[in-house]
Amino acid sequence: QVQLVESGGGLVQPGESLRLSCAASGRIFSVYAMGWYRQAPGKQRELVARISSGGTTNYADSVKGRFTISRDNTKNMVYLQMNSLKPEDTAVYYCARYNGLWEWGQGTQVTVSS
């Protein structure tokens, strides 16, 4: 079973940036699609961004143009660069791996507030 460990969350003001990182266990990281989900209080978990094994990316409409997902297959790492953060981006962010089903890490809290 894969281990996904997120880091980089925190408290920022609107308009600021954060970079989330995810370290994945396993020797064949490069073959999997990876993604970032988030869940705000009282809301369902939603897909924020995903990146295929070949590097193709997709984003939720709410984050297009502000967030960028990337991966480093040499380090088994996935990143989410978040710019121009808004209060509505406040949520627990989960790194995820697609292995027929999405598998998630434990999450990291992102709070955007003035």
Side-chain angles (χ1 to χ4, degrees):
Q1 187 172 356
V2 68
Q3 275 194 316
L4 302 168
V5 180
E6 303 94 337
S7 61
L11 171 64
V12 296
Q13 294 188 343
E16 294 186 339
S17 299
L18 274 177
R19 187 193 194 207
L20 303 184
S21 300
C22 171
S25 64
R27 294 182 297 172
I28 52 173
F29 170 80
S30 62
V31 304
Y32 295 104
M34 301 295 295
W36 286 95
Y37 278 75
R38 68 185 180 188
Q39 187 166 20
K43 295 188 177 181
Q44 288 190 327
R45 193 172 297 189
E46 62 173 354
L47 180 64
V48 175
R50 61 185 176 189
I51 184 167
S52 72
S53 58
T56 301
T57 58
N58 298 96
Y59 297 92
D61 287 342
S62 58
V63 306
K64 279 181 182 177
R66 299 188 298 122
F67 289 12
T68 302
I69 188 171
S70 61
R71 66 191 297 163
D72 185 340
N73 291 335
T74 65
K75 298 180 180 178
N76 283 18
M77 296 291 293
V78 182
Y79 306 99
L80 186 68
Q81 177 66 43
M82 305 186 293
N83 298 329
S84 302
L85 283 161
K86 304 175 181 180
E88 50 264 43
D89 295 318
T90 295
V92 177
Y93 283 72
Y94 299 89
C95 178
R97 185 185 80 165
Y98 189 73
N99 185 25
L101 294 173
W102 284 103
E103 304 165 301
W104 296 293
Q106 294 301 306
T108 184
Q109 176 70 45
V110 172
T111 302
V112 185
S113 175
S114 55

